[in-house]
Amino acid sequence: MDVIESKIDVNSDEYKKNYEDLTALVDDLSTELTRSWDERSEKSRQREKDSGKLPARKKLELLLDKNTPFLELSPLAAKGMYDGKIHKAGIVIGIGIIEGREVLVSMNDATIKGGSSYPLSVKKSIRAQTIAMENRLPFVNLMDSAGAYLPLQSEIFPDANDGGRVFYNQARMSKMGIPQIVGAMGLCTAGGAYGVAMCDEIVHVKDHGAIFLGGPPLVLAATGEEVTANELGGAELHCAESGVSDYFADTDEECIEMIRKIVKNLPENEKSKLSMTEVEEPAYDPKELYGIVSPDLSKPYDCREVIARIVDGSKFLEFKEMYGPTLVTGWAHIHGYPIGILANNGILFSDSAQKATQFIQLCDKRKIPLLFLQNINGFIIGREYEAGGITKNGHKMVNAVSTATVPKFTVIIGASFGAGNYAMCGRGYSPRFLWMWPNAQIGVMGGAQAADVLITITNDQRKRAGQEEMTQEEVDFIKQPVIDAAFKEGNAYYSTAKLWDDGIIDPAKTRDVLGLAISAALNAPLRDDDPGFGVFRM
């Protein structure tokens, strides 16, 4: 593979302006991530301290192997929603290493509404289970939940992907042979009780942990019986009488140590094999990405400059370089793992869609994971292009993305609009993981485009009614609110708050995030046994 020759002038005014602007966005991201961990009320902190429970961060520190990475997922879920204080949607999830083994970790944060589940808490839990199932990762859950947040129960309880889906998935995970280990470290009420009881092995903490379908207030209201939480569902009862729990722990620390022993005792899981190479750092500093990419999505850049700062040695074997030039495809390695890359250099034409289709099929056939770097406004439109088959050729690409079964990873590094989002493996196309850069935007179309479309439609309606076209003043009155609304609902923070992605990441850390994700994905088979059709030349 050849080293990509960078053409970036790091001394240019444009580079310096981009660097300054994107650095500001990265700094904002760092601030928000810190807030998501640290912004808690003094009352909730004191309550946790008085109870003798360990803080969430300390639990994580004791649970994971020393000096190993933790890939936190959706850390800004529910940002700005509800009362603005339900950080991380009340749950920490991520991939970490316990006794040398990659696991999916889920942990309630009881300093947030006592660990109550909000609608996005449920969505985040289901996302965690999906990741565990797709990547065959053992699921370790540190449970401390007061159950559903009742004022929003109608958004939590009844629908197909609401709370019941969590327990449905637990049954499916058990059938798939995915280990589920839980520490009952606080209240496990109602749904929380099912969530514990459906796990393979339960460690129950004395005094702290309590498992019951209905808590003392409900028992009193329903039956008149007065009972304490510990009498109703404490560790002594469930370890010695009901048999619900399997291991008795005196403290949180002892519970976590027992979970580590259980993970160590799991049968060894042989990971899928890839043709690895020696790991090389990129030839260029990844922080140069700040100067290459502008927060202004209208400013183009060569996606090869991005690839050069992500892949090993900045080495890239480009496939069909001269054909379909608005899409760059080719092979590289990230932290030694082989990867097939598709990256946008403009909108998608028929030739670029056909090129993508062939390349995806090659990678799927050869069991090479796929990486999509999205900066896409969509497919080309117009009569000439329809006559040239853009619809059918776009369909071929979408079909290939949908049916490829090797691990797929997506990073939105700029625009992600319209059918371009679909063709470049957006959330609806089941990438194993999808991240956004802080400059990224997502939507049916950009704000300016949406405003122009609305103005055109309005003028057409006026023309049919025999009225004059809008004045410039009327155009301006309509246009800016549309642009503002599109930006508000399409920026990276809006997306990540609603769990449309797995988190916003620092562009300079993209390479390391992808390396961790690829490693985790290898716990599952690389693709289905039946890869479908052979490679077509479209």
Side-chain angles (χ1 to χ4, degrees):
M1 296 182 181
D2 296 326
V3 176
I4 295 173
E5 183 181 346
S6 179
K7 296 179 174 61
I8 294 297
D9 179 4
V10 297
N11 295 311
S12 70
D13 291 340
E14 181 182 10
Y15 177 91
K16 292 176 181 177
K17 178 67 165 59
N18 288 345
Y19 199 103
E20 179 182 351
D21 291 346
L22 199 54
T23 298
L25 293 181
V26 171
D27 289 344
D28 289 343
L29 173 62
S30 179
T31 298
E32 292 300 332
L33 291 173
T34 300
R35 284 185 63 224
S36 76
W37 274 112
D38 296 343
E39 191 175 79
R40 305 290 187 273
S41 71
E42 282 305 315
K43 183 179 178 181
S44 66
R45 288 184 187 279
Q46 190 61 47
R47 186 188 302 118
E48 182 179 61
K49 184 177 180 180
D50 292 343
S51 71
K53 294 180 182 179
L54 291 175
R57 260 185 166 165
K58 185 63 178 178
K59 288 178 182 177
L60 199 60
E61 177 188 325
L62 294 174
L63 181 67
L64 303 178
D65 292 356
K66 300 294 184 187
N67 301 315
T68 58
F70 178 65
L71 180 58
E72 188 179 0
L73 302 167
S74 303
L76 299 179
K79 172 179 161 49
M81 301 179 67
Y82 310 125
D83 64 358
K85 298 177 182 178
I86 312 302
H87 298 292
K88 301 179 185 294
I91 305 175
V92 178
I93 68 166
I95 298 170
I97 299 173
I98 300 176
E99 294 291 349
R101 183 158 183 169
E102 288 158 318
V103 301
L104 194 292
V105 176
S106 177
M107 174 175 56
N108 298 102
D109 187 342
T111 62
I112 298 177
K113 303 292 186 181
S116 296
S117 288
Y118 282 69
L120 277 166
S121 312
V122 173
K123 186 174 182 180
K124 189 170 179 178
S125 294
I126 292 172
R127 175 62 186 151
Q129 292 177 318
T130 300
I131 291 168
M133 287 188 283
E134 288 181 341
N135 300 288
R136 302 297 195 276
L137 295 171
F139 197 101
V140 173
N141 192 356
L142 305 185
M143 180 75 81
D144 186 352
S145 174
Y149 181 65
L150 293 179
L152 296 177
Q153 63 87 24
S154 65
E155 299 176 45
I156 296 171
F157 174 70
D159 210 350
N161 284 309
D162 286 345
R165 196 71 177 188
V166 174
F167 317 126
Y168 172 85
N169 283 344
Q170 284 188 271
R172 292 176 60 216
M173 290 162 71
S174 181
K175 183 178 180 180
M176 293 168 68
I178 296 173
Q180 298 174 73
I181 303 155
V182 65
M185 306 181 79
L187 291 178
C188 304
T189 307
Y194 288 119
V196 171
M198 293 187 73
C199 289
D200 300 332
E201 296 180 78
I202 302 168
V203 185
H204 201 146
V205 183
K206 177 184 176 182
D207 296 330
H208 294 179
I211 304 169
F212 34 61
L213 296 183
L218 184 58
V219 170
L220 179 63
T223 70
E225 180 184 8
E226 292 189 25
V227 64
T228 68
N230 198 51
E231 291 169 339
L232 186 62
E236 290 90 346
L237 180 139
H238 282 310
C239 286
E241 295 185 47
S242 73
V244 167
S245 302
D246 306 303
Y247 306 91
F248 184 94
D250 283 306
T251 64
D252 284 2
E253 291 90 342
E254 188 177 325
C255 173
I256 291 170
E257 184 56 35
M258 181 59 70
I259 289 172
R260 288 181 54 82
K261 290 177 181 178
I262 295 168
V263 173
K264 187 176 183 178
N265 192 50
L266 293 174
E268 186 176 350
N269 176 52
E270 186 174 351
K271 295 176 71 171
S272 296
K273 297 288 194 301
L274 288 172
S275 299
M276 302 286 290
T277 61
E278 195 72 27
V279 177
E280 292 182 73
E281 291 298 314
Y284 310 99
D285 185 352
K287 282 198 170 184
E288 290 179 358
L289 290 168
Y290 300 166
I292 293 167
V293 178
S294 171
D296 182 351
L297 300 187
S298 66
K299 294 182 178 179
Y301 56 86
D302 187 347
C303 64
R304 295 175 185 86
E305 299 287 357
V306 173
I307 294 170
R309 288 154 181 86
I310 293 176
V311 303
D312 288 7
S314 302
K315 295 174 182 176
F316 185 57
L317 176 59
E318 188 162 349
F319 175 74
K320 278 185 166 6
E321 180 180 358
M322 299 173 66
Y323 185 78
T326 60
L327 184 72
V328 173
T329 56
W331 288 278
H333 290 82
I334 294 177
H335 281 282
Y337 300 111
I339 194 86
I341 299 175
L342 298 93
N344 299 117
N345 249 0
I347 58 177
L348 291 165
F349 290 80
S350 279
D351 53 1
S352 45
Q354 291 184 85
K355 169 177 162 179
T357 302
Q358 183 185 356
F359 181 73
I360 291 166
Q361 290 183 321
L362 282 170
C363 290
D364 198 40
K365 195 74 171 176
R366 297 174 184 176
K367 298 184 179 181
I368 297 175
L370 289 160
L371 169 61
F372 296 82
L373 298 176
Q374 280 199 21
N375 182 25
I376 179 67
N377 284 306
F379 286 90
I380 189 67
I381 57 175
R383 187 190 183 286
E384 175 188 349
Y385 302 104
E386 292 294 349
I390 185 60
T391 298
K392 69 176 181 180
N393 290 320
H395 150 259
K396 292 170 188 174
M397 180 178 177
V398 170
N399 191 303
V401 172
S402 303
T403 56
T405 59
V406 290
K408 298 175 287 190
F409 308 91
T410 301
V411 184
I412 301 177
I413 63 176
S416 179
F417 295 138
N421 168 278
Y422 301 159
M424 289 294 292
C425 202
R427 189 67 136 183
Y429 289 76
S430 295
R432 295 287 181 92
F433 300 93
L434 183 151
W435 291 281
M436 298 184 83
W437 283 1
N439 60 302
Q441 293 180 35
I442 186 170
V444 174
M445 63 183 69
Q449 293 169 299
D452 288 342
V453 169
L454 180 60
I455 289 163
T456 299
I457 291 171
T458 303
N459 279 331
D460 287 345
Q461 290 172 337
R462 287 191 171 199
K463 186 177 180 180
R464 287 195 297 273
Q467 300 172 350
E468 294 184 357
E469 290 188 354
M470 288 189 290
T471 65
Q472 188 59 49
E473 184 179 359
E474 290 174 317
V475 167
D476 294 340
F477 180 79
I478 290 177
K479 193 168 188 176
Q480 196 57 48
V482 173
I483 294 173
D484 292 343
F487 179 77
K488 177 185 175 183
E489 297 181 1
N491 72 71
Y493 287 109
Y494 190 92
S495 167
T496 210
K498 291 184 172 292
L499 285 163
W500 296 348
D501 55 63
D502 293 310
I504 307 171
I505 58 174
D506 178 346
K509 296 179 180 177
T510 303
R511 163 183 168 77
D512 292 338
V513 168
L514 287 169
L516 292 170
I518 297 168
S519 177
L522 296 183
N523 286 279
L526 279 170
R527 63 161 166 74
D528 291 349
D529 291 334
D530 179 10
F533 296 104
V535 175
F536 295 159
R537 295 192 65 85
M538 299 293 186

